[in-house]
Amino acid sequence: MFHFLVDELFKIAILEDVGIGDITSEIIIPQKSIAIAEIICKENMILAGIPFLKRFFSILSKYMESSNFFLKENYNDGDFIEKGSVIASLKGNARFLLAGERTALNLLQRLSGIATFTREFVKKVEDLPVKILDTRKTTPGLRFMEKYAVKIGGGSNHRFALYDAILIKDNHIKIAGSVEDAVIKAKKNNIYHKIEVEVKNIEELEKAIRAGADIVMLDNMDVETMKKAVEIAKDKVLIEASGGVNLDNIREIALTGVDFISIGALTHSAKAVDISMKIREVL
């Protein structure tokens, strides 16, 4: 399913950026001109997105009816790349290369930015037994690729969507009536999934444990309260910390003994890295 979604997304991106054609290239570049280009990183980064880059150009080649395109990557996803390095070399119709340039770079910049940002968090706690998780705070339509980039950066994926895991949040609890009622209803009507519930204080944590939750998310708790929560939850439920996590406080949070730390910023606040494409030779 995800491969189909990616292909459809790329088709939409091509219609958005190329549309009926690149009018600048059509009036300047000879129709049969062949060129060699390089994709260059302009800052240190963790690379992510090469498989999607290849797929994008494959879709574009069908759209523009352009054949004889070649792409040679010099690095693999997950590699640390230093500023100035050539990520990949491309050869093909010059109009084709220029038509694909912006979307291809946007893709690599976004995904590599997420992977690079994720790696910063992971390195802060790499010696501790805690998993760094992403969230559903992703760009609509790009979730599959953005969560892929988190994994490339060394993080792990939380639930992908509403349909693949039970996570009882504050609004569910409000409608259900209480933490206990929400968890009990979930257990009664579910036989496949572990039950995770969000709590805001120690009292709600204790209620979630008594009701039979499998995982408890500590929502925006201070570090001292987290420590107490971990002591109470030991050997009873797994604990996830969430809310307000940043590079300055993640290690202190991890040292409380939580099992997971989820960070929406991995995808919603990652800065795109700087990558460019340069035509090196015209054949």
Side-chain angles (χ1 to χ4, degrees), residues 251-276:
R251 186 164 181 85
E252 186 179 16
I253 292 171
L255 286 169
T256 64
V258 295
D259 300 287
F260 312 103
I261 302 176
S262 56
I263 309 168
L266 296 182
T267 49
H268 72 60
S269 295
K271 173 184 171 292
V273 296
D274 194 2
I275 301 174
S276 67

Side-chain angles (χ1 to χ4, degrees), residues 170-184:
D170 56 347
N171 286 327
H172 297 106
I173 293 167
K174 181 70 174 180
I175 296 169
S178 68
V179 168
E180 301 104 311
D181 288 340
V183 173
I184 290 169

Side-chain angles (χ1 to χ4, degrees), residues 23-41:
I23 59 175
T24 306
S25 292
E26 288 172 3
I27 62 175
I28 295 176
I29 309 298
Q31 185 175 6
K32 295 185 179 181
S33 178
I34 303 297
I36 295 174
E38 293 177 341
I39 295 177
I40 305 160
C41 70

Side-chain angles (χ1 to χ4, degrees), residues 8-274:
E8 292 304 305
L9 177 67
F10 287 161
K11 291 175 185 177
I12 292 170
I14 291 166
L15 288 173
E16 174 185 62
D17 198 44
V18 181
I20 60 172
D22 175 0
I23 59 175
T24 306
S25 292
E26 288 172 3
I27 62 175
I28 295 176
I29 309 298
Q31 185 175 6
K32 295 185 179 181
S33 178
I34 303 297
I36 295 174
E38 293 177 341
I39 295 177
I40 305 160
C41 70
K42 301 175 74 175
E43 61 181 289
N44 294 345
M45 54 175 271
I46 301 297
L47 178 63
I50 289 295
F52 299 113
L53 181 74
K54 291 180 175 179
R55 188 60 186 168
F56 165 72
F57 276 115
S58 175
I59 298 293
L60 181 64
S61 66
K62 295 176 183 176
Y63 182 82
M64 296 186 66
E65 297 181 349
S66 178
S67 58
N68 299 320
F69 166 72
F70 301 95
L71 185 154
K72 179 183 181 298
E73 70 271 26
N74 297 321
Y75 297 92
N76 298 312
D77 280 4
D79 288 348
F80 172 77
I81 306 178
E82 293 186 347
K83 177 181 178 180
S85 300
V86 176
I87 297 170
S89 298
L90 303 84
K91 179 182 177 182
N93 179 274
R95 291 186 181 182
F96 171 81
L97 295 180
L98 294 178
E101 175 184 3
R102 185 70 270 149
T103 301
L105 293 181
N106 288 348
L107 177 69
L108 275 186
Q109 289 178 155
R110 174 67 179 153
L111 299 187
S112 296
I114 291 172
T116 302
F117 194 39
T118 300
R119 183 67 60 87
E120 291 185 59
F121 280 96
V122 170
K123 287 182 70 174
K124 291 278 188 177
V125 298
E126 60 187 353
D127 60 324
L128 300 174
V130 63
K131 282 189 175 182
I132 303 302
L133 306 178
D134 56 21
T135 71
R136 286 167 48 240
K137 295 178 181 178
T138 55
T139 309
L142 298 183
R143 181 172 296 169
F144 176 72
M145 288 186 279
E146 291 181 349
K147 280 182 169 283
Y148 166 86
V150 167
K151 293 189 74 172
I152 291 298
S156 298
N157 295 151
H158 206 297
R159 61 175 177 167
F160 183 83
L162 294 173
Y163 53 73
D164 67 346
I166 294 173
L167 175 50
I168 303 168
K169 296 179 71 67
D170 56 347
N171 286 327
H172 297 106
I173 293 167
K174 181 70 174 180
I175 296 169
S178 68
V179 168
E180 301 104 311
D181 288 340
V183 173
I184 290 169
K185 287 177 182 177
K187 288 179 68 68
K188 181 179 178 181
N189 295 295
N190 160 69
I191 59 173
Y192 299 109
H193 303 287
K194 290 185 180 297
I195 296 170
E196 180 171 5
V197 60
E198 174 184 281
V199 303
K200 298 185 180 301
N201 51 55
I202 295 299
E203 181 182 359
E204 288 188 345
L205 168 67
E206 292 173 335
K207 290 178 179 179
I209 292 172
R210 287 198 298 271
D214 299 295
I215 308 168
V216 176
M217 177 191 291
L218 310 180
D219 181 42
N220 283 290
M221 286 189 185
D222 60 69
V223 170
E224 291 306 314
T225 306
M226 283 188 200
K227 290 179 181 177
K228 184 176 180 181
V230 169
E231 291 178 6
I232 293 170
K234 187 176 181 180
D235 298 326
K236 298 173 185 174
V237 295
L238 296 174
I239 292 291
E240 174 184 337
S242 183
V245 182
N246 55 55
L247 287 169
D248 293 327
N249 65 16
I250 186 171
R251 186 164 181 85
E252 186 179 16
I253 292 171
L255 286 169
T256 64
V258 295
D259 300 287
F260 312 103
I261 302 176
S262 56
I263 309 168
L266 296 182
T267 49
H268 72 60
S269 295
K271 173 184 171 292
V273 296
D274 194 2

